[in-house]
Amino acid sequence: MIISTSWLADYVQIPAGVDSLVERLLMSGLNHESTNTVGGDTAVEIEVTSNRSDCLGQIGVAREAAVLFGRPLHVPDPRPLEGAGRAAASVSVTIDAAQFCPYYSCRVLRGVRVGPSPAWLVERLATIGIESVNNIVDITNYVMFECGQPLHAFDLGRLRGGRIIVRRAVAGETFTAINHKSYTLTEQMCVIADVEGPVALAGVMGGAESEIGPQTVDVLLESAQFAPLAVRAAARGLVLSSPSSYRFERLPDPAAVDWASRRAAAMILDLAGGTLEQGVVEAGRLACSPAEIDLRPNRLEEVLGIGIPAERQRAILTGLGFVELGGVEDLAAGAVRWRAPSWRRDVWREIDLVEEVARIEGYAAIPENRPISARPIDLSARELAVRAVSEVLVAAGMCEAMTRSVVSEPLEAMASPWGQPEPLVVTPALVRGADRLRRTLLPSLLEARAGNMAVAAPHGELFEVARAYIGRKPATASGGDASPVEEPLLVAAVTAAGFAAAKGLAEALLARLGIGEAQAVTFRPIELDLFSRGRAAEIVLHGATAAERIGVVGEFSRRALDRAGLEATAAGVELRLDRLDFAIGRDRPLRRPSDYPAIERDLNLVVDEAIAWGDIEAAIRSGAGQLLERCRLVEIWKDAERLGHGRKSVVVSLRLRSDSGTLSSDDAKRAVDAVINSCSSHCGAVLR
Amino acid sequence: MATVSLDAFLAEIDRLRIDATAALSAAVDAPALEAARVEFLGAKSGRLKSIQKLLGGLAADDRPAGGRHFNELKQAVSDALEGAQQRLADGGESIEPIDVTLPGDPPRLGHLHPITQTIRRVQEIMSRLGFESVDGPEVEDQWHNFEALAIGAEHPARDPLDNFYLAVAQGTDPLLLRSQTSTVQIRVMERRKPPLRIVSLGRVYRPDTADATHYPMFHQVEGLLVEPGTTMAHLKSVLRMFASSFLGGDVHVRFRPSFFPFTEPSVEVDMEWGGRWIEMGGAGMVDPAVLEAVGYDPDSVSGFAFGLGVERIAARRYGVADIRDFYRNDVRFLSQF
């Protein structure tokens, strides 16, 4: 919204310069955008919040300025002289879409001379960035920018049948606007039609056929109320916003409907001559029911923390157009009942009155040193878990990425470790081609890794902590607290290294989360199209009652790498943090390091190739018992000649230590023998 | 009568200094060092001793100067011997000197995303003020994203073009990606009774075309305090404490009237930074309609809420000119934080 300072001076004399005006408006709710000199005038562009349609006209801003500077406001009261003829005899109005148009009115002027506008009018419009068209069109624009109520002038001679019909557009109906572009309409839009077809897109733009031109002699001057939804549907649906649609979307002052019509009629008579026919032709009911609001005396202090004297409250509200109602009986002690002005439909509650007084008085006086009481709080388990895993991954040399929650179809379509319900599609797409909520973070991280490779930054070791979205939950009766979609919180990481490195990350993360000692975690082979066959595992947490998949780890399949645009290989891990935050806050028993020396023993076990390391390790642990401090795999090798076909050698290094004394070689021997026996009976191992 | 000229004497001294320093620093083990010591500092026939004998051959006038130079030499050679002994004691006998300007071997360091770092900083400051961090779903229903926040069915904020709605079957409640983290505040208020101090934070989504200052996915931090007797003075005081911690120094805040559906009065919050007022976010007193929507009594409790755009403050804090850089995930960018 642009104001012209010379225009503003028609309504209020401000005893200060433009800078001071701008500052006061800024501090009372009209944000300053820019100030520019246009000819001999000054244009001040301000930002008007969506609740303040009253400030979409010069008069509304003048009213604010009058209150802020304590000056009187002068608003003209136009009384155009009516001549011969009755408007009702010239035209009739029917509303067939009351939900789109509650009220429609028009006046009729005959014998006008369409021509250029006088210089002062051209200049004022120029200040606010509006080009002059002709005197009639300029006047309708001028009045709209004066009071905020949009008007439209039709060439009455071009309206067919002497009838105005306000109706819902017929789907597929076409309409040529005054910009000479053709638009196809939908049923969500409202049109002004004559007996043959649409002549205006209600509240948005007039039609080319009935526009005012040099040939125009008779004018139909429309002033109406249109519903914001219908106007928005047309303006947005057709990408055809106008100053008129902008105002109708924000509900202009109902009292301005007739004022604007009178004002424009008077100006037309003045600047273009002609005769105004008697009366207003109207249809519908003008919706205007200003709120009556009680303001309790201490309410301001309760909200603001400072009091504002009653006389000052009264002066501000009166200046803004609120009317104090006398003789009210059912009123709390000391309270005042106010009636809101017609142009302030945003003010209808006591708290709204409080804001009105406060914003004019200014918030500067509100103290900024009120203490608040102390309160003990802690981070949630979830937050602690997020921090713990981030710490581990940063320490591992990885950078945290933030990738988009919405991905393209090829990335989403890959099997997620977390289920395969119907994809969740959003409209519009987040960015071009990306319209699906992701079910795993791994493909996004692969893409980010590919992006780094493309710019020759090969160290794309990345991780992310974010939600995924796994299908809509079945509707519950109560609604309440339940989130509508299952959103697991995931931590995922990708690395250039192979399976072992990714698994190492998984193990480090689980250890840091306090999982893996009291709770048994196992890695089991898994097939997912995200990973290479035979190079992936699911991570299963064995709880008291059930086993649950809480992670996956693996080397990515060529298909997954290709979809992400990655040539090199990569491995990754993803864990469900929302299932793994239960142990983070718990105190874990600390193990005091032993003061006694350790004994190291290496064993070379020969087993069948099919025996998994996990089984050998379990056998070693169960055999060694308490004394086993560490069991490390040194190497695995195969040699059909020396070991026999289908056999492998597994070299392990055991470290034995006691908490209570120095181990003797006999102690060590007993433990090692037990390990050998255990491996023999559980895995068929023989010592080499 | 002089038998040695001062010049010749000083030349001897210089020669010995060079030889001694070279020999002592070249000694790679204790025997070599001992041999060097005997050669230069030997009590009987050390070279220092020989020079001392020459001192007597100088002219009487030159003797004081010669003596001074001799004493300096003696000190220098003793120091060099001590240095060499120290070096050998440190076990450095076989150390090759290195070019200290050669590059170091950098450890590979990981980095938290600057957005995460900014959020953590805000969380940390707010937690000192008793605000607990909370989190909630990103896919939301109409009630939590709009209705409970006093955003009615006709409000332009609900326009399909201004939100990411999920395509769903007819007849089901439309869902959308949340457009603000206030949704979490509603969820917490529905579940808990006052007093309440929370900060909700996380990703939010609005269909803006990506440019240097917009991205369709971004982060918000929103604070909420609901306690009996809360006023705008408390809001201003908390924001000032936040600003002073976040920006450093004694920072003042300024309120400019604004409009949000879920607060009344509503204000824009400016903070004074480098002598200028900087827009930091929006705030206000929780609208009574919102308190009623979650089952609170607006006559017995009141509260305030405020919101900050994380990308905006992170961009300012780190001097990032284009917020799209936060989402490019370029390691060359990320590793600078």
Side-chain angles (χ1 to χ4, degrees):
Chain A
M1 167 71 190
I2 301 174
I3 53 175
S4 143
T5 53
S6 76
W7 193 346
L8 216 58
D10 284 1
Y11 317 108
V12 61
Q13 292 298 314
I14 298 160
V18 175
D19 289 348
S20 173
L21 171 68
V22 161
E23 176 71 14
R24 297 295 297 270
L25 291 176
L26 170 75
M27 294 310 291
S28 61
L30 295 171
N31 213 354
H32 181 233
E33 300 271 359
S34 64
T35 302
N36 292 297
T37 304
V38 181
D41 200 357
T42 305
V44 177
E45 184 164 12
I46 54 172
E47 185 190 326
V48 179
T49 51
S50 63
N51 59 327
R52 293 298 304 277
S53 63
D54 62 305
C55 285
L56 295 174
Q58 307 288 320
I59 290 175
V61 179
R63 183 179 297 111
E64 295 280 302
V67 175
L68 291 168
F69 289 95
R71 287 298 169 120
L73 178 76
H74 304 286
V75 178
D77 182 20
R79 297 285 168 193
L81 201 64
E82 293 180 337
R86 286 177 52 248
S90 299
V91 67
S92 71
V93 176
T94 312
I95 299 176
D96 283 344
Q99 75 276 32
F100 286 169
C101 174
Y103 178 76
Y104 191 97
S105 79
C106 57
R107 282 184 158 85
V108 173
L109 293 110
R110 293 197 181 269
V112 301
R113 288 180 311 278
V114 176
S117 293
W120 68 265
L121 178 53
V122 174
E123 282 161 16
R124 279 203 174 164
L125 290 175
T127 301
I128 61 169
I130 302 296
E131 235 173 90
S132 175
V133 178
N134 58 48
N135 50 5
I136 306 294
V137 172
D138 288 358
I139 287 166
T140 58
N141 278 333
Y142 182 85
V143 174
M144 170 173 66
F145 286 108
E146 182 178 39
C147 69
Q149 166 67 30
L151 299 173
H152 186 65
F154 294 96
D155 183 336
L156 184 58
R158 300 289 184 96
L159 294 178
R160 298 149 297 191
R163 280 184 65 193
I164 289 285
I165 304 142
V166 185
R167 62 167 169 85
R168 194 186 271 271
V170 179
E173 191 169 24
T174 59
F175 164 74
T176 305
I178 50 173
N179 61 10
H180 296 279
K181 285 183 188 161
S182 183
Y183 296 94
T184 305
L185 310 181
T186 72
E187 284 181 323
Q188 277 68 50
M189 303 169 185
C190 176
V191 295
I192 315 301
D194 62 11
V195 293
E196 290 188 23
V199 292
L201 192 52
V204 180
M205 202 168 274
E209 284 178 40
S210 58
E211 73 178 315
I212 304 289
Q215 78 294 336
T216 303
V217 181
D218 300 328
V219 170
L220 182 137
L221 181 65
E222 165 198 293
S223 189
Q225 278 189 319
F226 295 114
L229 274 181
V231 173
R232 195 186 314 139
R236 297 207 65 164
L238 303 175
V239 196
L240 188 64
S241 291
S242 65
S244 166
S245 69
Y246 188 82
R247 282 162 179 75
F248 277 122
E249 286 182 44
R250 286 159 180 76
L251 289 172
D253 176 10
V257 175
D258 185 55
W259 187 93
S261 178
R262 284 188 280 122
R263 175 74 161 161
M267 286 180 71
I268 291 171
L269 293 177
D270 194 21
L271 301 179
T275 316
L276 174 64
E277 290 192 336
Q278 293 167 17
V280 179
V281 185
E282 56 184 349
R285 223 185 107 255
L286 189 69
C288 180
S289 45
E292 293 185 1
I293 314 155
D294 293 353
L295 180 58
R296 287 169 286 176
N298 53 351
R299 198 55 196 145
L300 273 132
E301 185 157 9
E302 284 170 9
V303 175
L304 304 177
I306 50 165
I308 294 174
E311 317 82 73
R312 180 69 185 139
Q313 296 182 26
R314 185 167 278 127
I316 289 171
L317 291 174
T318 306
L320 289 171
F322 291 83
V323 177
E324 184 174 351
L325 301 179
V328 182
E329 285 178 3
D330 56 334
L331 203 57
V336 178
R337 183 160 299 173
W338 293 93
R339 180 190 294 132
S342 61
W343 56 85
R344 291 305 304 275
R345 273 188 283 186
D346 60 312
V347 179
W348 50 283
R349 302 169 303 172
E350 187 180 40
I351 192 71
D352 303 325
L353 283 182
V354 169
E355 178 169 46
E356 285 308 298
V357 175
R359 72 177 181 85
I360 295 295
E361 186 68 5
Y363 293 109
I366 292 179
E368 54 176 20
N369 58 1
R370 288 282 160 89
I372 61 167
S373 59
R375 278 186 90 214
I377 51 144
D378 197 4
L379 292 174
S380 64
R382 186 182 174 98
E383 184 67 27
L384 288 171
V386 169
R387 291 183 184 220
V389 295
S390 304
E391 219 170 71
V392 168
L393 294 167
V394 166
M398 307 192 103
C399 283
E400 187 189 13
M402 281 195 182
T403 59
R404 290 189 290 267
S405 316
V406 188
V407 298
S408 63
E409 195 275 334
L411 285 193
E412 193 267 352
M414 270 184 286
S416 155
W418 317 112
Q420 294 292 329
E422 281 294 292
L424 297 168
V425 179
V426 293
T427 315
L430 190 81
V431 297
R432 207 149 62 99
D435 66 352
R436 296 182 174 221
L437 296 188
R438 61 178 168 185
R439 295 181 293 203
T440 162
L441 313 184
L442 288 168
S444 305
L445 286 178
L446 279 182
E447 256 190 344
R449 185 168 170 76
N452 277 289
M453 303 290 273
V455 295
H459 163 54
E461 306 280 299
L462 297 170
F463 77 96
E464 181 165 19
V465 181
R467 290 159 176 266
Y469 316 86
I470 317 288
R472 198 184 173 100
K473 286 186 187 167
T476 51
S478 62
D481 187 45
S483 53
V485 160
E486 189 189 352
E487 297 183 16
L489 181 67
L490 303 175
V491 54
V494 294
T495 167
F499 180 87
K503 183 176 175 183
L505 286 174
E507 288 168 330
L509 290 171
L510 291 169
R512 182 67 183 79
L513 289 166
I515 290 170
E517 296 234 344
Q519 304 80 20
V521 169
T522 52
F523 289 73
R524 300 201 294 224
I526 187 183
E527 276 192 27
L528 274 179
D529 58 5
L530 204 50
F531 295 120
S532 288
R533 189 186 282 261
R535 291 294 179 93
E538 64 171 339
I539 308 171
V540 178
L541 179 70
H542 300 273
T545 53
E548 181 190 16
R549 180 189 294 173
I550 47 84
V552 289
V553 55
E555 292 177 6
F556 292 104
S557 64
R558 183 33 59 195
R559 185 158 159 257
L561 296 167
D562 284 347
R563 287 194 181 184
L566 197 62
E567 272 179 42
T569 59
V573 54
E574 184 162 85
L575 300 178
R576 275 198 71 154
L577 219 39
D578 56 328
R579 292 276 196 257
L580 294 170
D581 61 4
F582 57 88
I584 190 77
R586 288 183 204 160
D587 290 332
R588 267 169 284 162
L590 209 58
R591 178 175 297 165
R592 186 176 182 281
S594 169
D595 293 325
Y596 301 100
I599 292 179
E600 307 260 358
R601 290 285 184 272
D602 287 358
L603 295 180
N604 189 342
L605 301 165
V606 176
V607 293
D608 278 349
E609 264 183 46
I611 304 288
W613 163 252
D615 297 330
I616 299 170
E617 187 188 7
I620 292 171
R621 289 194 181 280
S622 81
Q626 293 290 320
L627 295 183
L628 184 65
E629 182 177 272
R630 193 188 68 175
C631 161
R632 185 168 62 86
L633 174 65
V634 180
E635 66 171 339
I636 295 180
W637 55 277
K638 296 170 197 173
D639 185 330
E641 274 183 31
R642 289 158 70 192
L643 302 174
H645 189 71
R647 303 281 280 170
K648 63 184 175 186
S649 159
V650 177
V651 181
V652 295
S653 170
L654 308 180
R655 182 188 291 157
L656 305 167
R657 199 198 300 263
S658 164
D659 288 337
S660 54
T662 303
L663 291 181
S664 67
S665 43
D666 284 349
D667 296 334
K669 186 171 185 315
R670 270 194 297 277
V672 169
D673 288 346
V675 165
I676 294 165
N677 284 334
S678 174
C679 290
S680 166
S681 58
H682 289 103
C683 310
V686 293
L687 207 55
R688 185 163 183 275
Chain B
M1 168 146 178
T3 55
V4 182
S5 74
L6 183 62
D7 282 350
F9 179 76
L10 291 181
E12 279 297 315
I13 280 193
D14 285 344
R15 193 173 307 125
L16 193 141
R17 177 182 285 129
I18 290 162
D19 291 352
T21 314
L24 289 168
S25 60
V28 294
D29 53 20
L33 185 61
E34 178 58 15
R37 187 193 70 76
V38 171
E39 181 186 351
F40 296 102
L41 292 160
K44 286 189 182 132
S45 55
R47 283 174 61 184
L48 210 61
K49 203 81 190 167
S50 318
I51 289 191
Q52 193 176 11
K53 287 175 186 156
L54 291 181
L55 206 50
L58 286 175
D61 287 354
D62 291 334
R63 255 178 236 150
R68 198 170 65 245
H69 283 286
F70 175 79
N71 286 335
E72 280 170 14
L73 172 69
K74 194 174 170 188
Q75 187 62 48
V77 175
S78 303
D79 288 350
L81 175 68
E82 207 175 299
Q85 285 168 337
Q86 187 65 48
R87 178 166 56 77
L88 289 185
D90 289 347
E93 55 260 39
S94 59
I95 286 180
E96 278 282 309
I98 57 160
D99 176 356
V100 296
T101 65
L102 286 171
D105 292 336
R108 201 178 74 194
L109 299 179
H111 301 265
L112 280 183
H113 197 284
I115 294 291
T116 301
Q117 294 192 34
T118 306
I119 288 175
R120 296 256 177 105
R121 177 109 176 89
V122 174
Q123 280 181 308
E124 201 178 285
I125 294 168
M126 292 313 297
S127 77
R128 279 182 235 139
L129 300 173
F131 287 75
E132 180 188 345
S133 295
V134 291
D135 185 14
E138 291 176 16
V139 176
E140 268 296 2
D141 51 36
Q142 304 283 303
W143 169 256
H144 291 95
N145 202 71
F146 297 126
E147 280 148 40
L149 291 161
I151 303 172
E154 299 217 341
H155 197 280
R158 292 177 75 153
D159 195 297
L161 293 171
D162 288 329
N163 294 282
F164 292 110
Y165 280 96
L166 266 64
V168 288
Q170 287 282 319
T172 47
D173 181 27
L175 301 178
L176 73 164
L177 285 172
R178 68 181 177 195
S179 56
Q180 60 226 348
T181 50
S182 314
T183 54
V184 185
Q185 304 185 341
I186 298 295
R187 286 182 177 276
V188 173
M189 286 194 283
E190 284 172 337
R191 206 169 57 229
R192 285 153 62 168
K193 293 291 155 209
L196 203 62
R197 280 183 214 171
I198 52 173
V199 273
S200 55
L201 37 98
R203 297 181 179 203
V204 298
Y205 305 84
R206 290 180 198 171
D208 288 319
T209 304
D211 61 25
T213 54
H214 296 88
Y215 202 74
M217 176 180 94
F218 57 102
H219 292 76
Q220 273 188 341
V221 175
E222 296 201 327
L224 171 77
L225 179 150
V226 182
E227 289 173 16
T230 304
T231 70
M232 282 190 95
H234 294 108
L235 170 61
K236 209 176 187 185
S237 304
V238 163
L239 287 171
R240 178 170 170 238
M241 284 189 269
F242 170 78
S244 298
S245 287
F246 190 81
L247 302 175
D250 186 14
V251 177
H252 294 278
V253 302
R254 176 175 91 166
F255 285 170
R256 280 180 292 114
S258 189
F259 172 68
F260 308 110
F262 34 87
T263 50
E264 189 87 0
S266 300
V267 293
E268 296 287 342
V269 182
D270 297 339
M271 296 178 181
E272 208 177 8
W273 195 347
R276 287 177 53 212
W277 289 106
I278 305 285
E279 242 183 271
M280 291 296 282
M285 301 303 290
V286 180
D287 195 294
V290 174
L291 296 175
E292 277 168 12
V294 298
Y296 291 1
D297 174 11
D299 279 333
S300 60
V301 289
S302 53
F304 63 70
F306 62 89
L308 305 168
V310 177
E311 277 74 3
R312 189 199 290 185
I313 56 178
R316 188 162 286 138
R317 183 171 171 216
Y318 297 116
V320 174
D322 187 334
I323 67 163
R324 285 172 293 189
D325 287 345
F326 288 128
Y327 297 105
R328 290 203 170 99
N329 296 308
D330 187 325
V331 168
R332 297 169 301 171
F333 175 80
L334 296 174
S335 57
Q336 294 178 56
F337 296 93

